[in-house]
Amino acid sequence: TVYDTIEVSINPDILVDIMVDDMSADSAVMCENGSITIQAGLEGGNNTLSYSWTVYLNNFAAFGSNFLSDEMGTETTPDTIETVFTIPNNITTIEEIDVVIEVTDATGCSSLDTIHVTVLPEPDVDVAGATSPVCSDTDDDNVTLTLSNLNGFADGYYWEVDYNGLTGSYNS
């Protein structure tokens, strides 16, 4: 009878969790021509971790794109990896965006996570109101301003008023 022995090493899993605003997220919303900061929370793995972010536009990889501030790199036992995702001005129509991070450790174990990003068009807002100065010594020193053409953006608005150096604001 012949026997042999083999030693098996079990490497710790790499757990990757994409976050926006320090909260776990499967999806995010951003405005056209805007940007959001995406983080990947990391746990486990063995020593040095390599990472690669990839952007998929309408299910096609956008390699070599200018969408991310940091597309790939190597870190020694990081807790988080961060990138800033930006839609370039020359992109006008995007139906689906997915941002994927793949993390690989020194032993070759890897893991990935994906976030779906919805890009909302900038609203085309018209403000109508007084076109001439309003004097405070008249009976009617109120001004009515009207918002229109919000293109479906009715969740809220922000007014800022500057009157002789005094400023005020209103959020809805």
Side-chain angles (χ1 to χ4, degrees):
T1 305
V2 177
Y3 294 95
D4 197 1
T5 304
I6 187 169
E7 187 175 313
V8 176
S9 296
I10 299 175
N11 297 312
D13 285 340
I14 303 171
L15 303 175
V16 180
D17 186 25
I18 289 185
M19 301 177 293
V20 175
D21 296 328
D22 295 322
M23 297 180 62
S24 181
D26 293 327
S27 63
V29 176
M30 65 183 282
C31 293
E32 181 180 34
N33 298 322
S35 66
I36 57 173
T37 300
I38 301 173
Q39 300 167 312
L42 305 172
E43 202 175 298
N46 201 346
N47 296 323
T48 303
L49 300 175
S50 299
Y51 63 91
S52 174
W53 294 93
T54 306
V55 176
Y56 292 89
L57 303 176
N58 298 326
N59 298 315
F60 293 101
F63 293 108
S65 65
N66 295 320
F67 296 99
L68 302 170
S69 64
D70 183 19
E71 290 188 45
M72 60 181 54
T74 303
E75 300 278 339
T76 304
T77 61
D79 291 331
T80 60
I81 296 172
E82 184 174 291
T83 191
V84 176
F85 176 68
T86 304
I87 298 291
N89 291 339
N90 62 340
I91 302 292
T92 56
T93 304
I94 298 174
E95 295 174 12
E96 305 235 358
I97 300 174
D98 290 304
V99 180
V100 178
I101 185 170
E102 182 173 11
V103 179
T104 305
D105 71 7
T107 63
C109 294
S110 65
S111 182
L112 58 88
D113 197 11
T114 303
I115 186 168
H116 182 78
V117 179
T118 301
V119 180
L120 300 176
E122 291 179 342
D124 180 19
V125 178
D126 291 331
V127 178
T131 58
S132 60
V134 176
C135 300
S136 63
D137 60 350
T138 64
D139 290 337
D140 186 13
D141 59 355
N142 294 318
V143 174
T144 301
L145 299 175
T146 305
L147 286 176
S148 61
N149 289 338
L150 294 177
N151 295 336
F153 293 90
D155 290 342
Y157 53 87
Y158 174 80
W159 290 103
E160 185 172 292
V161 178
D162 185 350
Y163 173 71
N164 289 338
L166 299 174
T167 60
S169 62
Y170 174 77
N171 291 313
S172 79

